[in-house]
């Protein structure tokens, strides 16, 4: 096998690889910041806070029920 031919096309292959990765990066940024997906990603980003609020509200509800139960005894 003649490695000199591979060495000759190596810069061209690296150039195509760089171009392909750049196009993939632009596509990923376009996909992530697209307007259609904004609401979905915002809901996912805030979902962690929703779970905490649900836990806090259920914990405070239990506390109020405990107090009400304690008053009955």
């Amino acid at each position: 096998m003649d490695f000199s031919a591979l060495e000759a096309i190596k810069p061209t292959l690296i150039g195509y690889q760089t171009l392909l990765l750049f196009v993939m990066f632009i596509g990923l940024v376009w996909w992530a910041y697209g307007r259609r997906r904004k609401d979905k990603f915002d809901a996912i980003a805030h979902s962690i806070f929703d779970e905490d609020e649900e836990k806090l509200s259920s914990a405070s509800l239990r506390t109020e029920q405990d107090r009400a139960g304690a008053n009955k005894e």
Side-chain angles (χ1 to χ4, degrees), residues 12-27:
T12 304
L13 293 175
I14 291 173
Y16 283 126
Q17 179 186 8
T18 303
L19 180 64
L20 177 67
L21 290 174
F22 182 70
V23 168
M24 289 174 64
F25 174 75
I26 296 297

Side-chain angles (χ1 to χ4, degrees), residues 52-73:
D52 287 341
E53 290 176 3
E54 290 175 6
K55 287 180 183 176
L56 288 175
S57 65
S58 67
S60 66
L61 181 63
R62 268 188 266 138
T63 303
E64 291 175 8
Q65 290 173 347
D66 291 342
R67 287 183 194 152
N71 291 337
K72 290 181 180 178
E73 292 178 3

